Amino acid sequence: MQNSRLFAYLLKLDVYSFNFLRISIFIVMAWIGGLKAFHYEADGIVPFVANSPFMSFLYKNAGNKVLNEDQKQVSEYTLYKTPEGKTVQKNIEWHMQNGTYVFSYGLGTMIVIIGSLVLLGIWFPKTGALGGGLTFLMSLVTLSFLVTTPEAYVPDLGGDFPTPQYGFPYLSGAGRLVIKDVIMMAAGLLLFSDSLKKVVKSPNDRNSIL
């Protein structure tokens, strides 16, 4: 009898798991989206945006090329990278002129909204379907950075001897962060499907804010 009750409970576990997944996505998106309001986070996404054919036009200086201290031609933004936890006035001024912070504020707001739509899917299936679909699309765009962003892979900086591992497939810290969006993309698709099934089962369901 106890085994039968346990089995019945396990069969219903998927309902709780889907909602836990919704809450998890909301936590990640609300946290990360909220951090986009701060300079260090806005600075950190510049290489991804500046190299993206879909987003670079949102920056004023994305396509600018300049000579670095080694007299090599590089993207201008590389001269204004700020280590996390450090403030550099000239870098802040450049990013303000570039539109870095304005873009980051908008992106952060969008991420928080998508996360909220996913969370509302617990109660409103149509809203949840929209949130799941947008999560999938957002993650797809993020994964495109693996193709467009040089900083996603370990660079060949040399040293005491030739760098043995660099370029594809050796992901840098930035690349390892991006590749995790494969999981987010799958989760978004899964929640989109789950929410859509609920909508189809209850076409006249009034429990939707859309």
Side-chain angles (χ1 to χ4, degrees), residues 40 43 80-88 91:
Y40 88 95
D43 294 351
Y80 298 93
K81 290 184 177 181
T82 305
E84 292 183 0
K86 185 176 183 180
T87 56
V88 181
N91 291 1

Side-chain angles (χ1 to χ4, degrees), residues 52-107:
S52 172
F54 310 110
M55 305 169 76
S56 60
F57 70 93
L58 296 168
Y59 283 165
K60 295 180 181 178
N61 303 319
N64 292 357
K65 300 293 183 180
V66 295
L67 296 177
N68 63 12
E69 58 183 14
D70 297 323
Q71 297 304 302
K72 292 182 179 180
Q73 191 176 60
V74 296
S75 295
E76 186 176 8
Y77 73 82
T78 61
L79 303 184
Y80 298 93
K81 290 184 177 181
T82 305
E84 292 183 0
K86 185 176 183 180
T87 56
V88 181
Q89 184 60 37
K90 71 177 182 65
N91 291 1
I92 292 174
E93 292 173 356
W94 184 89
H95 284 294
M96 291 182 68
Q97 192 276 328
N98 182 53
T100 298
Y101 303 132
V102 172
F103 169 78
S104 187
Y105 300 153
L107 178 62

Side-chain angles (χ1 to χ4, degrees), residues 5-64:
R5 289 180 178 177
L6 177 61
F7 184 68
Y9 174 78
L10 292 175
L11 288 177
K12 298 179 181 179
L13 192 60
D14 63 321
V15 176
Y16 302 103
S17 298
F18 277 123
N19 287 341
F20 179 63
L21 183 58
R22 290 182 173 96
I23 293 171
S24 300
I25 289 178
F26 171 75
I27 291 173
V28 172
M29 289 195 174
W31 199 334
I32 295 298
L35 289 178
K36 293 291 187 289
F38 299 92
H39 285 183
Y40 88 95
E41 174 67 15
D43 294 351
I45 64 174
V46 169
F48 299 118
V49 179
N51 289 289
S52 172
F54 310 110
M55 305 169 76
S56 60
F57 70 93
L58 296 168
Y59 283 165
K60 295 180 181 178
N61 303 319
N64 292 357

